[in-house]
């Protein structure tokens, strides 16, 4: 057996039914470029916006996505069945021109996969949904499990949890979409007055965000009652719940990445820079730096954002507090076999560091922070570590005793 | 006898050349036939007025014919070479003209119907060709190459008519398919039975639909076909493809193309409520008189049940008349001008704010203050129409205003944007290079202009801060006998607002010039261009300076621009 054949098949999954679909494609393609091909054979798996799964070498070409839906006919359509031990992706519709070729296994056309590496952002990919499918299929996968993923995805619940572990957070209110829309919108005035009557929320500006969405989509700052109404309506357009937070008037954002490499470690800190001061927008995060048509892929997506890594003028004690709290939050939320990015806000008036949110599958997997960390970690090595941790976690899980019997039924 | 007589080689080359060219021509004519909605009369009208006969292919064939005549005694190989030259020439012409599926403002879309017409036309061509060859052969003339090239000319000129013939042959089948689709859509719609709001009017239908769609959809899942889909077959297709059981409301834009077209739409999607945004000069040429246009628009009001809702624009006398002649349980008059009488929803105190407009709406004895990112009075009128309908349906006015605050301007509908000067240049054309720095405020109102829209766009241009005010326009179309006077009127107003005017195409050239001259505009202050892209290239490469304001008012399909070259 040659080394080539011994390589493990790693399915890199990206796309997905999320508003961050496009960003996920960038993250996925970056990851495939960086993976150690001596050890692993990366297999791209693309979930289209309609939820169908596709597999094939053609997915590596960016033009594939420009030429959809026509190009979809040049790859296999596959699916992951929620049945343990199938050992791969079942082929629904094979394509003679796509690689790798399916093999027959127990009477089914299968593309063998040893481990799944999700590179999704947002809904259905970062929030525990796809993780649930991996669990049902009983296969190793990179990244946090169902519970930590879903907690981390809810900005509100996540804050409540880390607060219980002694990390400072800003106060927040959670309001359901139903409440905002109730009675053909006639309840909106009640919602508004309820918010404004809450302690810490009696003055503008306020921040309104969809409760589980990332990438700054649907976020708005309310400066008066009409803009609060508009912000609530807008956020409810994107999510089934809305979170409201007070707005710090003099603050900076500080991000830290945390990686499970056997030991849980924190990266250097960074300060992302918004184009026009104020808040980062979706455009800031992903579209600034010009429209590079054939630009370097490694500089796309989150890796493209204007930022200051390891800022020299930031108080070292704040840096280490951010790193310490990041590791603490990672553990509190229960993440494992993962690389995450944790966003803090530093109130420059009171010098207080607040936990803001966790990104369970950060854009570009936050590799740009690790290459600048000390000791330096290259993207390729980071991917290897994550795969090894995921395998270890899977073995640990297999070793838990779960007997299923029929004694009660046939007593 | 040999299976192939070598003496027929020039003939064969000639036929291949002709067939290849014919196929290319066919696609190009199909592009325009499609834009004329496969209507034979409209296509012929275009063909005649734009003198869109084939010239290039005909001249090439004529040239080859003459060359063949001159060299008649030059022997077999010379005539073979000349025929081969003909092949090269026709291939060259076809190639420089480009693929209609990718070139032109509105590219040829190879829908199944277009495919069917195209293939049928090709079959017709080959039948004609075979009959021709058989006839020639029976007279032993098949090797007479000059004659073959004369026949080529006839075949090339036959090209547009082969499309019409194909369409006529297919029309029966086409009708059957359409009827089947429409029946399916009707059945599906009736089964789902969403609360249906029809929208019609001379202007503002699409914008009103999109705004109302955003508002209703924010509370109740609503079905509203995108863009300006407003025909029977267009709505049919949308229903078949996109209507879902969870859609509890439907907003249907209804275009009045002739008497009865709205009635027909109302049978497909029976309205519970309706909005009439305006009854004015737009599309007058389709109806002949304002009265028959009024009757056509009234078909929506008539189709609404007596216990239904009718919301009309009180700023138009004919809308008020419609409300009086079609009493419903709930009648709502909205408007920006109280001088014509009572208004149930009255918008006033319209003021420009940073990137948008603020306004006050008086509704049911209360005043509501609102803001929007939309600009232009006609757009605010559309907004008021949507507000009136939503509130009549029981939506909370403040909630509706909150939704309105979030609505983004649609593309090409008086959409203000600060862009670099170089972005005006069409980079596909290597002739111009982007050397200018600085940026301009671009007011893009390229979508379907009308007298009211044109006038408000000029108001916005006048109010926009900037150095010089520049207008780019081909003028307005489909205004019937008023087309000339309305364009002249608009141009006269433009002369008092603009520092420079770029007139595109020749459809309205003389009327626009007359208007500008009437407004005493200096003749060096306006310039003519055959195509929109030429005008924009000129602005981007030569004329514009930092902080200029450019209004792009209307952009016509290729059909109306300068004469296409065939």
């Amino acid at each position: 057996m040659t080394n080539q054949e011994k390589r493990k098949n790693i399915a890199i999954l990206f796309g997905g039914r999320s508003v961050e679909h496009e960003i996920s494609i960038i993250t996925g393609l970056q990851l495939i470029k960086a993976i150690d091909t001596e050890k692993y054979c990366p297999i791209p798996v693309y979930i289209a916006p309609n939820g169908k799964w596709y597999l094939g070498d053609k997915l590596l070409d960016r033009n594939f996505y420009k030429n959809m839906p026509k190009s979809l006919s040049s790859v296999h359509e596959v699916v992951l069945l929620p049945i343990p031990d199938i050992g791969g992706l079942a082929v629904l519709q094979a394509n003679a021109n796509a690689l790798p070729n399916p093999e027959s296994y127990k009477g089914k056309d299968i593309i063998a996969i040893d481990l799944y590496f999700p590179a999704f952002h947002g809904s259905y990919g970062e929030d525990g949904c796809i993780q649930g499918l991996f669990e049902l299929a009983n296969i190793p996968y990179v990244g946090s499990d169902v519970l930590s993923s879903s907690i981390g995805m809810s900005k509100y619940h996540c804050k409540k949890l880390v607060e219980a572990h002694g990390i400072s957070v800003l106060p927040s209110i959670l309001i359901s979409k139903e409440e905002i829309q109730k009675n053909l919108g006639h309840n909106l005035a009640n919602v508004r007055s309820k918010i404004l009557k809450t302690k810490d929320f009696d003055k503008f500006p306020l921040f309104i965000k969809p409760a589980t969405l990332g990438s700054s989509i649907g976020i708005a700052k309310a400066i008066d009652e009409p803009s609060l109404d508009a912000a609530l309506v807008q956020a409810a357009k994107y999510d089934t719940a809305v979170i409201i937070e007070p707005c710090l008037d003099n603050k900076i954002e500080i991000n830290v990445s945390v990686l499970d490499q056997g030991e849980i470690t924190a990266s250097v800190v960074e300060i992302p820079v918004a184009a026009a001061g104020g808040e980062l927008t979706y455009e800031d995060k992903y579209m600034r730096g010009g429209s590079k048509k054939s630009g370097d892929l490694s500089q796309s997506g989150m890796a493209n954002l204007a930022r200051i890594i390891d800022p020299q003028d930031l108080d070292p004690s704040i840096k280490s507090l951010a790193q310490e709290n990041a590791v603490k939050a990672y553990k509190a939320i229960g993440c494992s076999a993962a690389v995450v990015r944790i966003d803090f806000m530093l109130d420059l008036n009171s010098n207080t560091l607040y936990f803001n949110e966790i990104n369970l599958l950060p854009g570009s997997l936050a590799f740009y922070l690790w290459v600048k960390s000390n000791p330096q970690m290259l993207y390729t090595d980071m991917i290897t570590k994550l795969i090894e941790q995921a395998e270890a976690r899977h073995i640990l899980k297999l070793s838990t005793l779960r007997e299923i019997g029929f004694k009660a039924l046939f007593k | 006898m040999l299976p192939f007589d070598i003496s027929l080689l020039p003939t064969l080359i000639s036929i291949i050349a002709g067939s290849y060219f014919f196929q290319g021509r066919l696609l190009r004519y199909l592009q325009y036939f499609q834009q004329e909605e496969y209507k034979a009369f409209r296509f012929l009208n275009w063909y005649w007025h734009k003198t869109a006969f084939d010239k290039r292919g005909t001249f090439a064939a004529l040239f080859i014919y003459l060359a063949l005549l001159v060299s008649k005694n030059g022997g077999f190989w010379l005539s073979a070479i000349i025929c081969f030259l003909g092949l090269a020439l026709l291939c060259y012409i076809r190639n420089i003209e480009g693929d209609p599926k990718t070139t032109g403002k509105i590219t040829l879309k190879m829908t199944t119907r277009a495919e069917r017409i195209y293939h049928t036309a090709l079959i017709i061509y080959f039948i004609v060709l075979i009959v021709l060859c058989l006839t020639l052969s029976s007279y032993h003339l098949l090797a007479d190459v000059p004659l073959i090239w004369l026949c080529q000319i006839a075949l090339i000129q036959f090209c547009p008519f082969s499309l019409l013939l194909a369409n006529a042959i297919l029309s029966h089948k086409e009708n059957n398919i359409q009827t089947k689709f429409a029946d399916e859509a009707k059945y599906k719609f009736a089964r789902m039975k969403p609360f249906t709001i029809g929208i019609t009017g001379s202007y503002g239908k699409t914008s009103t639909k999109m705004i109302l769609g955003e508002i209703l959809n924010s509370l109740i899942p609503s079905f509203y076909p995108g863009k300006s889909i407003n025909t029977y077959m267009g709505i049919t297709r949308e229903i078949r493809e996109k209507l879902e059981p969870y859609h509890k409301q439907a907003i249907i834009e209804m275009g009045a193309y002739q008497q009865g077209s709205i009635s027909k739409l109302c049978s497909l999607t029976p309205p519970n409520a309706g909005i009439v945004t305006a009854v004015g000069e737009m599309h007058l040429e389709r109806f002949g008189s304002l009265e028959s246009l009024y009757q056509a628009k009234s078909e929506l009001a008539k189709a609404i049940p007596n216990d239904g809702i009718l919301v009309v624009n009180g700023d138009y006398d004919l809308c008020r008349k419609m409300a009086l002649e079609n009493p419903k349980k709930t009648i709502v008059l909205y408007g920006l001008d109280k001088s014509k009488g009572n208004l149930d929803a009255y918008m006033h105190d319209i003021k420009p704010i940073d990137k948008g407009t603020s306004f006050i709406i008086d509704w049911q004895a209360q005043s509501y203050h609102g803001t929007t990112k939309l600009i232009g009075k006609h757009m605010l009128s559309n907004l008021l129409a949507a507000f009136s309908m939503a509130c009549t349906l029981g939506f909370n006015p403040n909630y509706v205003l909150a939704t309105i605050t979030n609505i983004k301007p649609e593309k090409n509908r008086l959409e203000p944007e600060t862009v670099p000067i170089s972005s005006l240049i069409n980079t596909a054309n290597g002739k111009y290079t982007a050397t200018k720095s600085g940026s301009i405020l671009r007011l893009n109102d390229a979508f379907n202009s009308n007298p009211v829209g044109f006038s408000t766009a000029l108001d916005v241009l006048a109010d926009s801060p900037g150095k010089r005010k520049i207008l780019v326009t081909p003028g307005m179309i489909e205004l019937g006998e008023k087309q000339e006077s309305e364009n002249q009127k608009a141009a006269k107003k433009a002369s008092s607002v603009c520092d420079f005017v770029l007139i595109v195409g020749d459809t309205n050239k003389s009327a626009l010039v007359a208007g500008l001259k009437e407004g005493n505009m200096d003749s060096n202050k306006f310039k003519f261009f055959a195509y929109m892209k030429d005008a924009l290239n000129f602005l981007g490469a030569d004329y514009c300076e930092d902080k200029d304001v450019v209004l792009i008012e209307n952009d016509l399909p290729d059909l109306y621009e300068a004469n296409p070259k065939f």
Side-chain angles (χ1 to χ4, degrees):
Chain A
M1 199 188 267
T2 67
N3 196 34
Q4 284 285 313
E5 285 160 1
K6 256 191 310 198
R7 291 189 308 167
K8 284 184 175 151
N9 285 342
I10 311 290
I12 320 286
L13 299 98
F14 53 89
R17 287 166 55 206
S18 152
V19 286
E20 290 150 290
H21 182 93
E22 219 184 329
I23 318 305
S24 165
I25 297 175
I26 296 174
T27 300
L29 295 183
Q30 274 174 348
L31 207 166
I32 291 167
K33 269 205 156 175
I35 198 167
D36 186 348
T37 47
E38 290 283 306
K39 287 188 184 138
Y40 308 113
C41 171
I43 296 177
V45 178
Y46 170 63
I47 302 189
N50 65 8
K52 288 190 177 179
W53 295 38
Y54 296 96
L55 185 153
D57 52 335
K58 306 273 192 309
L59 293 168
L60 299 173
D61 181 4
R62 267 206 221 194
N63 288 325
F64 178 92
Y65 307 96
K66 200 163 55 184
N67 300 330
M68 287 200 300
K70 216 171 149 188
S71 55
L72 292 174
S73 59
S74 65
V75 288
H76 304 300
E77 193 192 334
V78 297
V79 71
L80 175 57
L81 296 171
I83 304 164
D85 308 323
I86 286 184
L89 292 162
V91 179
L92 292 180
Q93 181 109 48
N95 187 295
N97 300 320
L99 287 173
N101 293 317
E103 37 195 285
S104 189
Y105 176 78
K106 292 184 186 169
K108 287 188 188 73
D109 275 347
I110 292 287
I111 290 172
I113 302 291
D114 297 298
L115 180 137
Y116 291 83
F117 200 137
F120 300 112
H121 305 307
S123 322
Y124 305 107
E126 196 179 346
D127 59 0
C129 288
I130 195 119
Q131 289 76 8
L133 183 59
F134 296 146
E135 295 285 350
L136 288 172
N138 197 28
I139 39 172
Y141 62 94
V142 170
S144 299
D145 64 6
V146 176
L147 181 62
S148 50
S149 295
S150 41
I151 287 186
M153 212 47 199
S154 165
K155 293 185 171 76
Y156 180 81
H157 295 98
C158 183
K159 277 196 210 193
K160 291 289 160 200
L161 184 66
V162 300
E163 192 179 20
H165 285 78
I167 298 169
S168 304
V169 296
L170 282 173
S172 56
I173 304 175
L174 188 72
I175 293 180
S176 72
K177 178 182 179 130
E178 193 200 353
E179 219 173 322
I180 293 169
Q181 300 191 340
K182 210 158 72 183
N183 202 2
L184 290 180
H186 289 287
N187 198 39
L188 189 63
N190 297 336
V191 171
R192 190 204 310 131
S193 66
K194 185 178 128 188
I195 294 168
L196 296 174
K197 273 181 200 152
T198 311
K199 185 177 165 287
D200 302 319
F201 289 85
D202 51 355
K203 59 175 189 293
F204 292 107
L206 294 171
F207 253 125
I208 292 86
K209 307 173 181 174
T212 65
L213 243 58
S215 288
S216 313
I217 291 162
I219 290 187
K221 193 170 169 180
I223 50 164
D224 52 19
E225 291 194 6
S227 62
L228 175 58
D229 284 0
L232 288 169
V233 169
Q234 180 180 250
K237 188 173 154 183
Y238 293 104
D239 212 334
T240 52
V242 169
I243 180 170
I244 298 113
E245 293 165 359
C247 186
L248 300 174
D249 54 7
N250 188 15
K251 57 132 201 257
I252 51 170
E253 213 179 290
I254 297 177
N255 300 345
V256 190
S257 176
V258 177
L259 171 69
D260 182 357
Q261 43 179 324
E263 191 187 347
I264 314 297
T265 47
S267 72
V268 285
V269 306
E270 62 151 340
I271 299 178
V273 186
E279 299 306 315
L280 287 171
T281 62
Y282 183 90
E283 283 75 17
D284 278 334
K285 285 185 179 167
Y286 305 114
M287 293 172 72
R288 218 137 45 85
S291 53
K292 288 176 276 188
K293 275 196 185 123
S294 55
D296 182 1
L297 190 63
S298 68
Q299 293 303 315
S300 297
M302 270 306 271
N304 179 36
L305 178 68
R307 56 164 54 83
I308 307 163
I309 291 179
D310 199 13
Q312 294 311 307
D313 48 356
L314 185 67
D315 184 350
S317 69
I318 295 290
K319 282 190 205 172
S320 56
L321 180 64
Q323 288 170 326
E324 196 183 303
N325 278 356
V327 171
K328 216 194 237 180
Y330 180 97
K331 289 177 178 165
I333 295 165
C335 302
S336 54
V339 61
V340 304
R341 196 189 73 231
I342 294 175
D343 300 352
F344 294 93
M345 274 192 299
L346 179 64
D347 185 346
L348 294 171
N349 293 338
S350 65
N351 218 28
T352 316
L353 187 72
Y354 295 106
F355 168 95
N356 189 31
E357 63 176 31
I358 182 168
N359 295 277
L360 295 136
L361 271 161
S364 305
L365 295 188
F367 79 85
Y368 48 88
L369 287 175
W370 290 97
V371 293
K372 296 279 171 68
S373 289
N374 190 18
Q376 187 196 43
M377 162 113 31
L378 296 176
Y379 197 10
T380 304
D381 298 330
M382 190 178 110
I383 294 165
T384 304
K385 292 263 192 242
L386 285 168
I387 292 172
E388 285 168 2
Q389 287 307 309
E391 286 168 334
R393 180 181 62 186
H394 189 63
I395 290 165
L396 200 72
K397 208 190 108 196
L398 290 179
S399 69
T400 53
L401 199 60
R402 300 273 164 99
E403 274 188 1
I404 303 173
F406 289 90
K407 283 181 219 150
L409 207 54
F410 303 115
K411 199 158 63 178
Chain B
M1 193 177 145
L2 285 166
F4 177 69
D5 184 355
I6 189 77
S7 70
L8 288 179
L9 182 70
T11 306
L12 188 70
I13 295 173
S14 308
I15 287 173
I16 291 172
S19 303
Y20 179 75
F21 186 77
F22 185 89
Q23 194 200 5
R25 264 289 164 278
L26 202 55
L27 286 170
R28 279 200 65 206
Y29 281 118
L30 185 56
Q31 181 180 17
Y32 291 91
F33 192 38
Q34 186 172 52
Q35 286 183 45
E36 293 290 17
E37 296 169 10
Y38 307 112
K39 299 276 193 297
F41 177 75
R42 282 172 57 179
F43 179 71
L44 283 173
N45 193 36
W46 164 83
Y47 179 75
W48 182 253
H49 284 286
K50 292 286 176 187
T51 54
F53 325 112
D54 172 86
K55 293 162 202 87
R56 291 170 176 166
T58 303
F59 278 125
L62 204 60
F63 175 71
I64 299 297
Y65 166 72
L66 292 174
L68 286 166
L69 276 191
V70 169
S71 62
K72 203 154 193 177
N73 303 322
F76 168 79
W77 286 110
L78 184 61
S79 77
I81 289 168
I82 292 173
C83 288
F84 197 78
L85 206 72
L87 173 68
L89 197 59
L90 289 181
C91 286
Y92 172 74
I93 295 171
R94 184 177 161 179
N95 283 337
I96 54 160
E97 287 180 352
D99 183 0
K101 279 173 251 177
T102 51
T103 46
K105 257 184 223 168
I106 301 178
T107 55
L108 170 63
K109 291 176 196 66
M110 269 305 184
T111 58
T112 48
R113 180 166 186 188
E115 292 268 6
R116 277 197 294 268
I117 293 174
Y118 171 64
H119 288 140
T120 311
L122 271 188
I123 291 168
I124 293 171
Y125 170 77
F126 282 114
I127 290 172
V128 172
L129 190 67
I130 289 164
V131 170
L132 189 71
C133 288
L134 290 176
T135 317
L136 289 176
S137 135
S138 69
Y139 289 98
H140 303 286
L141 287 169
L142 209 48
D144 184 350
V145 227
L147 183 64
I148 296 281
W149 280 89
L150 274 187
C151 294
Q152 301 276 33
I153 296 176
L155 282 170
I156 293 170
Q157 292 298 345
F158 170 66
C159 188
F161 304 99
S162 72
L163 279 178
L164 295 179
L165 199 59
N167 191 46
I169 293 169
L170 290 169
S171 71
H172 180 67
K173 190 184 169 205
E174 218 55 68
N175 281 341
N176 281 348
I177 294 173
Q178 294 202 357
T179 312
K180 187 172 146 269
F181 281 172
D183 286 348
E184 275 176 34
K186 207 179 266 186
Y187 177 74
K188 184 177 174 186
F189 199 84
R191 198 160 38 97
M192 310 242 175
K193 223 174 181 338
F195 183 89
T196 305
I197 302 159
I199 299 181
T200 191
S202 305
Y203 333 111
K205 295 186 287 292
T206 305
S207 296
T208 305
K209 171 184 69 182
M210 297 314 276
I211 296 166
L212 184 61
E214 288 249 0
I215 295 170
L216 300 192
N217 209 23
S218 75
L219 282 177
I220 297 166
S222 304
F223 169 78
Y224 55 107
K227 291 180 243 156
S228 29
I229 297 171
N230 62 15
T231 60
Y232 190 68
M233 283 323 292
I235 304 282
T236 291
R237 186 178 177 159
E238 289 287 308
I239 291 172
R240 291 179 68 247
E241 288 176 4
K242 294 182 186 148
L243 182 68
E244 299 287 347
Y246 57 76
H247 287 131
K248 296 293 172 218
Q249 296 170 140
I251 309 162
I252 309 292
E253 176 183 339
M254 300 180 171
Y257 290 87
Q258 59 201 45
Q259 297 290 350
S261 51
I262 290 184
S263 286
K264 203 172 158 198
L265 270 166
C266 289
S267 72
L268 179 65
T269 56
N272 304 88
I275 302 178
V276 182
T277 57
V279 181
E281 283 89 13
M282 186 90 157
H283 305 310
L284 202 55
E285 68 175 17
R286 291 182 195 158
F287 296 95
S289 72
L290 211 52
E291 176 56 29
S292 84
L293 188 143
Y294 168 78
Q295 289 304 336
K297 304 269 176 208
S298 295
E299 289 168 14
L300 171 62
K302 290 200 177 86
I304 297 168
N306 288 333
D307 62 348
I309 302 165
L310 179 61
V311 174
V312 300
N313 189 342
D315 293 343
Y316 287 84
D317 292 324
L318 286 174
C319 287
R320 285 182 177 267
K321 182 178 162 199
M322 201 182 286
L324 282 176
E325 288 180 358
N326 297 280
K328 306 288 166 194
K329 191 178 165 199
T330 314
I331 297 262
V332 178
L333 294 171
Y334 70 89
L336 278 59
D337 177 7
K338 262 195 164 161
S339 68
K340 291 206 157 81
N342 169 60
L343 290 171
D344 302 294
Y346 170 48
M347 186 188 272
H348 54 98
D349 281 83
I350 297 168
K351 288 182 193 126
I353 53 166
D354 181 35
K355 282 180 191 152
T357 317
S358 85
F359 55 84
I360 293 171
I361 298 175
D362 291 348
W363 169 256
Q364 295 186 342
Q366 277 205 53
S367 286
Y368 297 90
H369 183 265
T371 59
T372 173
K373 298 183 182 82
L374 309 180
I375 54 173
K377 272 197 173 166
H378 63 315
M379 206 43 104
L380 290 167
S381 173
N382 298 335
L383 205 124
L384 185 59
F387 173 92
S388 306
M389 179 55 87
C391 293
T392 308
L393 292 173
F395 282 44
N396 180 276
N398 281 316
Y399 189 96
V400 173
L401 288 173
T403 319
I404 283 172
T405 308
N406 296 327
I407 291 174
K408 294 191 183 82
E410 282 170 77
K411 263 206 138 10
N412 301 349
R413 299 200 185 216
L414 209 48
E415 169 196 34
E417 211 176 349
T418 305
V419 296
I421 292 175
S422 56
S423 71
L424 290 170
I425 295 176
N426 175 16
T427 43
N429 185 337
K431 232 162 89 187
Y432 294 88
T433 43
T435 48
K436 290 212 159 199
S437 59
S439 57
I440 53 152
L441 178 67
R442 189 184 62 196
L443 300 167
N444 194 343
D445 199 22
F447 188 88
N448 227 359
S449 182
N450 59 61
V452 179
F454 203 139
S455 172
T456 38
L458 286 171
D459 291 338
V460 172
L461 180 65
D463 292 341
S464 300
K467 210 192 290 166
R468 296 177 301 178
K469 310 289 168 69
I470 301 154
L471 169 69
V472 189
T473 187
M476 303 167 279
I477 53 161
E478 297 201 303
L479 296 173
E481 57 189 21
K482 292 205 172 175
Q483 179 153 328
E484 199 157 328
S485 60
E486 286 294 345
N487 275 303
Q488 188 168 342
K489 216 164 93 188
K492 190 185 170 195
K493 179 166 178 176
S495 68
S496 65
V497 173
C498 305
D499 297 290
F500 198 71
V501 178
L502 294 85
I503 295 171
V504 177
D506 32 43
T507 308
N508 294 311
K509 190 170 161 182
S510 56
L512 291 170
V513 170
L516 293 175
K517 286 201 170 143
E518 199 188 337
N520 292 323
M521 194 169 216
D522 224 14
S523 61
N524 61 6
K525 290 280 169 62
F526 52 87
K527 213 168 151 65
F528 307 107
F529 295 87
Y531 295 98
M532 178 60 86
K533 65 173 193 300
D534 297 338
L536 296 180
N537 279 338
F538 168 74
L539 284 180
D542 292 329
Y543 189 79
C544 275
E545 285 166 19
D546 194 35
K547 304 262 177 326
D548 281 347
V549 190
V550 176
L551 169 64
I552 301 168
E553 182 64 28
N554 213 5
D555 187 8
L556 301 177
D558 309 307
L559 283 171
Y560 294 98
E561 276 197 354
N563 290 353
K565 294 186 179 70
F566 281 94

